Amino acid sequence: MGSACSGELNDSNQELLAVDKAEAVQPHLKGTAVSTNTLCEVFRQCDANNDNFVTRIELIKACKSHPEIAQMLGIPENLRDSARAQFEQVYQALDADSDRKVSLDELRAYFVRAGFQVTDD
Ligand SMILES: [Ca+2]
Ligand SMILES: [Ca+2]
């Protein structure tokens, strides 16, 4: 585990929508095989400042520059008003412990919950 206290908590966007975390899974992706290595790579691409946590801002930016990541996570590529609610839903599903940042473990757990076959190779 480790030093999770070094991260900053300066998300400017702190509104919390009441959503059902279970709703955010992507049924059409169920059964897709994804390796832990791939998840690590996705996580690194999202974690722009390399602090081992992905914030909302980082995830929004990652989805804009990497449409394939947005697609995997079930996030609309074009995050305009209506899509923001969907983004929030996915982000809160990712952020299982609601500390406003997503760890690699949380990302992995999200994929498992979403029905992906996460392999360890
Ligand atoms: Ca980060
Ligand atoms: Ca978290």
Side-chain angles (χ1 to χ4, degrees), residues 8 46-55 58:
E8 80 291 352
C46 294
D47 183 16
N49 67 351
N50 293 313
D51 68 350
N52 292 318
F53 292 103
V54 174
T55 62
E58 285 178 331

Side-chain angles (χ1 to χ4, degrees), residues 95 97 99 101 106:
D95 184 17
D97 62 3
D99 65 354
K101 49 193 187 176
E106 286 176 330

Side-chain angles (χ1 to χ4, degrees), residues 7-18:
E8 80 291 352
L9 283 172
N10 59 357
D11 270 4
S12 56
N13 189 355
Q14 298 192 345
E15 87 273 21
L16 286 176
L17 305 177

Side-chain angles (χ1 to χ4, degrees), residues 53-95:
F53 292 103
V54 174
T55 62
R56 273 186 177 76
I57 310 295
E58 285 178 331
L59 190 58
I60 288 168
K61 285 182 179 163
C63 287
K64 280 181 180 159
S65 41
H66 304 286
E68 72 278 8
I69 293 179
Q71 201 179 17
M72 277 177 91
L73 292 172
I75 293 172
E77 288 169 34
N78 200 341
L79 286 175
R80 283 172 309 189
D81 303 333
S82 60
R84 260 320 270 261
Q86 199 177 338
F87 174 84
E88 275 303 311
Q89 204 173 28
V90 172
Y91 193 83
Q92 289 182 37
L94 279 164
D95 184 17

